[in-house]
Short mmCIF file of all heavy atoms in Angstrom, two decimals:
data_model
loop_
_atom_site.label_atom_id
_atom_site.label_comp_id
_atom_site.label_asym_id
_atom_site.label_seq_id
_atom_site.Cartn_x
_atom_site.Cartn_y
_atom_site.Cartn_z
N ILE A 282 7.88 2.33 -15.42
CA ILE A 282 9.15 2.50 -16.13
C ILE A 282 9.53 3.97 -16.22
O ILE A 282 10.72 4.32 -16.22
CB ILE A 282 9.03 1.87 -17.54
CG1 ILE A 282 8.62 0.44 -17.46
CG2 ILE A 282 10.35 2.00 -18.30
CD1 ILE A 282 8.32 -0.19 -18.81
N ALA A 283 8.52 4.82 -16.30
CA ALA A 283 8.76 6.27 -16.43
C ALA A 283 9.15 6.97 -15.15
O ALA A 283 9.36 8.19 -15.11
CB ALA A 283 7.54 6.94 -17.04
N ALA A 284 9.24 6.21 -14.03
CA ALA A 284 9.63 6.78 -12.75
C ALA A 284 11.16 6.96 -12.70
O ALA A 284 11.85 6.38 -11.88
CB ALA A 284 9.15 5.91 -11.60
N MET A 285 11.65 7.79 -13.60
CA MET A 285 13.09 7.96 -13.74
C MET A 285 13.63 9.16 -12.99
O MET A 285 14.81 9.46 -13.07
CB MET A 285 13.44 8.08 -15.23
CG MET A 285 13.07 6.87 -16.07
SD MET A 285 13.34 7.14 -17.85
CE MET A 285 15.13 7.34 -17.88
N ALA A 286 12.74 9.84 -12.25
CA ALA A 286 13.17 10.98 -11.44
C ALA A 286 12.74 10.75 -10.01
O ALA A 286 11.98 11.53 -9.42
CB ALA A 286 12.55 12.25 -12.00
N LEU A 294 12.10 20.31 -9.80
CA LEU A 294 11.49 20.47 -11.12
C LEU A 294 11.70 21.90 -11.64
O LEU A 294 12.03 22.11 -12.81
CB LEU A 294 10.00 20.15 -11.02
CG LEU A 294 9.20 20.22 -12.32
CD1 LEU A 294 8.11 19.17 -12.35
CD2 LEU A 294 8.57 21.60 -12.53
N ARG A 297 15.19 22.53 -12.87
CA ARG A 297 15.57 21.81 -14.10
C ARG A 297 14.78 22.29 -15.34
O ARG A 297 15.12 21.86 -16.47
CB ARG A 297 15.35 20.32 -13.91
CG ARG A 297 16.27 19.69 -12.87
CD ARG A 297 15.89 18.27 -12.52
NE ARG A 297 15.86 17.37 -13.65
CZ ARG A 297 15.67 16.04 -13.56
NH1 ARG A 297 15.47 15.51 -12.34
NH2 ARG A 297 15.65 15.28 -14.63
N SER A 298 13.81 23.15 -15.16
CA SER A 298 12.88 23.46 -16.28
C SER A 298 13.10 24.85 -16.85
O SER A 298 13.60 25.77 -16.17
CB SER A 298 11.44 23.33 -15.77
OG SER A 298 11.16 22.01 -15.30
N GLU A 299 12.70 24.97 -18.11
CA GLU A 299 12.74 26.28 -18.81
C GLU A 299 11.37 26.94 -18.86
O GLU A 299 11.26 28.16 -18.99
CB GLU A 299 13.30 26.10 -20.20
CG GLU A 299 12.47 25.24 -21.12
CD GLU A 299 13.05 25.10 -22.50
OE1 GLU A 299 14.18 25.52 -22.69
OE2 GLU A 299 12.35 24.54 -23.39
N VAL A 300 10.33 26.15 -18.77
CA VAL A 300 8.95 26.66 -18.72
C VAL A 300 8.08 25.65 -18.01
O VAL A 300 8.35 24.42 -18.09
CB VAL A 300 8.41 26.93 -20.16
CG1 VAL A 300 8.27 25.65 -20.94
CG2 VAL A 300 7.07 27.66 -20.09
N ILE A 319 3.94 20.49 -14.56
CA ILE A 319 4.73 19.89 -15.61
C ILE A 319 5.75 20.93 -16.10
O ILE A 319 5.40 22.06 -16.47
CB ILE A 319 3.88 19.43 -16.78
CG1 ILE A 319 2.96 18.29 -16.32
CG2 ILE A 319 4.77 18.95 -17.95
CD1 ILE A 319 2.06 17.74 -17.40
N GLY A 320 7.01 20.54 -16.07
CA GLY A 320 8.08 21.42 -16.55
C GLY A 320 8.77 20.85 -17.79
O GLY A 320 8.90 19.61 -17.88
N ARG A 321 9.09 21.70 -18.70
CA ARG A 321 9.88 21.25 -19.86
C ARG A 321 11.36 21.44 -19.53
O ARG A 321 11.82 22.57 -19.32
CB ARG A 321 9.51 22.06 -21.11
CG ARG A 321 10.03 21.45 -22.42
CD ARG A 321 9.43 22.15 -23.62
NE ARG A 321 9.87 23.55 -23.71
CZ ARG A 321 9.12 24.57 -24.14
NH1 ARG A 321 7.87 24.34 -24.53
NH2 ARG A 321 9.58 25.79 -24.21
N GLU A 322 12.07 20.33 -19.53
CA GLU A 322 13.45 20.31 -19.04
C GLU A 322 14.37 21.09 -20.02
O GLU A 322 14.23 20.97 -21.25
CB GLU A 322 13.93 18.89 -18.88
CG GLU A 322 15.20 18.74 -18.10
CD GLU A 322 15.54 17.28 -17.78
OE1 GLU A 322 15.17 16.41 -18.58
OE2 GLU A 322 16.18 17.05 -16.75
N LYS A 323 15.29 21.81 -19.44
CA LYS A 323 16.27 22.56 -20.25
C LYS A 323 17.09 21.56 -21.08
O LYS A 323 17.40 20.49 -20.63
CB LYS A 323 17.21 23.34 -19.32
CG LYS A 323 16.50 24.33 -18.43
CD LYS A 323 17.49 24.88 -17.39
CE LYS A 323 16.77 25.79 -16.38
NZ LYS A 323 17.67 26.24 -15.31
N GLU A 324 17.42 21.95 -22.26
CA GLU A 324 18.26 21.17 -23.22
C GLU A 324 17.55 19.92 -23.72
O GLU A 324 17.35 19.76 -24.93
CB GLU A 324 19.61 20.81 -22.55
CG GLU A 324 20.44 22.02 -22.20
CD GLU A 324 21.78 21.65 -21.58
OE1 GLU A 324 22.08 20.45 -21.50
OE2 GLU A 324 22.51 22.57 -21.19
N THR A 325 17.11 19.01 -22.83
CA THR A 325 16.50 17.75 -23.31
C THR A 325 15.06 17.97 -23.80
O THR A 325 14.59 17.20 -24.61
CB THR A 325 16.46 16.69 -22.21
OG1 THR A 325 15.54 17.10 -21.19
CG2 THR A 325 17.83 16.48 -21.60
N ARG A 326 14.40 19.02 -23.29
CA ARG A 326 13.00 19.30 -23.57
C ARG A 326 12.04 18.17 -23.16
O ARG A 326 10.90 18.10 -23.57
CB ARG A 326 12.78 19.64 -25.05
CG ARG A 326 13.50 20.93 -25.49
CD ARG A 326 13.27 21.25 -26.92
NE ARG A 326 11.89 21.57 -27.22
CZ ARG A 326 11.30 22.76 -27.08
NH1 ARG A 326 12.03 23.77 -26.60
NH2 ARG A 326 10.05 22.98 -27.40
N ARG A 327 12.57 17.27 -22.36
CA ARG A 327 11.74 16.21 -21.77
C ARG A 327 10.81 16.83 -20.73
O ARG A 327 11.15 17.80 -20.06
CB ARG A 327 12.62 15.16 -21.16
CG ARG A 327 11.96 13.94 -20.59
CD ARG A 327 12.96 12.90 -20.20
NE ARG A 327 14.02 13.41 -19.34
CZ ARG A 327 15.03 12.72 -18.85
NH1 ARG A 327 15.18 11.46 -19.19
NH2 ARG A 327 15.93 13.29 -18.06
N TRP A 328 9.62 16.27 -20.55
CA TRP A 328 8.66 16.79 -19.60
C TRP A 328 8.85 16.13 -18.24
O TRP A 328 9.01 14.90 -18.13
CB TRP A 328 7.23 16.56 -20.06
CG TRP A 328 6.92 17.32 -21.35
CD1 TRP A 328 7.71 18.14 -22.07
CD2 TRP A 328 5.66 17.28 -22.04
NE1 TRP A 328 7.08 18.62 -23.15
CE2 TRP A 328 5.82 18.12 -23.17
CE3 TRP A 328 4.44 16.67 -21.83
CZ2 TRP A 328 4.78 18.35 -24.08
CZ3 TRP A 328 3.40 16.87 -22.74
CH2 TRP A 328 3.56 17.71 -23.86
N LEU A 329 8.82 16.94 -17.19
CA LEU A 329 8.93 16.47 -15.80
C LEU A 329 7.61 16.69 -15.09
O LEU A 329 6.97 17.74 -15.25
CB LEU A 329 10.03 17.27 -15.05
CG LEU A 329 11.43 17.29 -15.70
CD1 LEU A 329 12.34 18.24 -14.92
CD2 LEU A 329 12.01 15.91 -15.77
N LEU A 330 7.16 15.68 -14.32
CA LEU A 330 5.85 15.77 -13.65
C LEU A 330 6.02 15.68 -12.14
O LEU A 330 6.68 14.79 -11.61
CB LEU A 330 4.94 14.63 -14.13
CG LEU A 330 3.62 14.46 -13.37
CD1 LEU A 330 2.73 15.65 -13.58
CD2 LEU A 330 2.94 13.16 -13.76
N LYS A 437 3.80 10.12 -24.43
CA LYS A 437 4.95 10.69 -23.70
C LYS A 437 5.46 9.72 -22.64
O LYS A 437 6.68 9.61 -22.45
CB LYS A 437 4.51 12.03 -23.04
CG LYS A 437 4.29 13.16 -24.06
CD LYS A 437 5.58 13.63 -24.69
CE LYS A 437 5.37 14.82 -25.59
NZ LYS A 437 6.61 15.29 -26.23
N ILE A 438 4.55 9.07 -21.95
CA ILE A 438 4.98 8.12 -20.89
C ILE A 438 5.61 6.89 -21.52
O ILE A 438 6.70 6.43 -21.11
CB ILE A 438 3.76 7.72 -20.03
CG1 ILE A 438 3.36 8.89 -19.12
CG2 ILE A 438 4.09 6.48 -19.17
CD1 ILE A 438 4.38 9.24 -18.06
N GLY A 440 7.05 6.58 -24.38
CA GLY A 440 8.32 6.90 -25.00
C GLY A 440 9.35 7.50 -24.07
O GLY A 440 10.41 7.92 -24.50
N LEU A 441 9.02 7.55 -22.77
CA LEU A 441 9.89 8.14 -21.75
C LEU A 441 10.25 9.58 -22.06
O LEU A 441 11.33 10.09 -21.72
CB LEU A 441 11.16 7.31 -21.56
CG LEU A 441 10.95 5.85 -21.13
CD1 LEU A 441 12.27 5.15 -20.96
CD2 LEU A 441 10.14 5.78 -19.85
N GLU A 442 9.32 10.28 -22.75
CA GLU A 442 9.49 11.71 -23.02
C GLU A 442 8.87 12.53 -21.89
O GLU A 442 9.02 13.74 -21.90
CB GLU A 442 8.84 12.05 -24.35
CG GLU A 442 9.47 11.36 -25.53
CD GLU A 442 8.76 11.69 -26.82
OE1 GLU A 442 8.80 12.88 -27.22
OE2 GLU A 442 8.15 10.77 -27.40
N MET A 443 8.16 11.87 -20.98
CA MET A 443 7.71 12.50 -19.74
C MET A 443 8.06 11.56 -18.61
O MET A 443 7.73 10.34 -18.67
CB MET A 443 6.22 12.79 -19.74
CG MET A 443 5.77 13.49 -18.47
SD MET A 443 4.09 14.18 -18.52
CE MET A 443 3.12 12.70 -18.21
N ILE A 444 8.73 12.06 -17.58
CA ILE A 444 9.12 11.20 -16.46
C ILE A 444 8.60 11.80 -15.16
O ILE A 444 8.21 12.98 -15.12
CB ILE A 444 10.66 11.02 -16.40
CG1 ILE A 444 11.34 12.37 -16.17
CG2 ILE A 444 11.18 10.36 -17.66
CD1 ILE A 444 12.85 12.27 -15.96
N HIS A 445 8.55 10.98 -14.14
CA HIS A 445 7.96 11.45 -12.85
C HIS A 445 8.76 10.88 -11.70
O HIS A 445 9.72 10.13 -11.89
CB HIS A 445 6.49 11.02 -12.77
CG HIS A 445 6.28 9.55 -12.95
ND1 HIS A 445 6.37 8.66 -11.91
CD2 HIS A 445 5.97 8.80 -14.05
CE1 HIS A 445 6.13 7.43 -12.34
NE2 HIS A 445 5.89 7.49 -13.65
N MET A 492 0.80 22.17 -21.82
CA MET A 492 2.18 21.96 -22.27
C MET A 492 2.21 21.53 -23.73
O MET A 492 3.18 21.80 -24.46
CB MET A 492 2.85 20.91 -21.38
CG MET A 492 4.35 20.73 -21.67
SD MET A 492 5.33 22.25 -21.54
CE MET A 492 5.53 22.39 -19.76
#
Side-chain angles (χ1 to χ4, degrees):
I282 304 172
M285 298 175 64
L294 182 146
R297 293 170 58 174
S298 301
E299 61 180 10
V300 65
I319 295 180
R321 193 171 66 214
E322 194 171 30
K323 302 170 185 175
E324 298 181 3
T325 69
R326 296 181 65 84
R327 183 172 52 181
W328 296 359
L329 306 174
L330 171 66
K437 291 290 184 180
I438 288 292
L441 299 181
E442 297 177 65
M443 183 169 79
I444 62 175
H445 56 85
M492 187 57 79

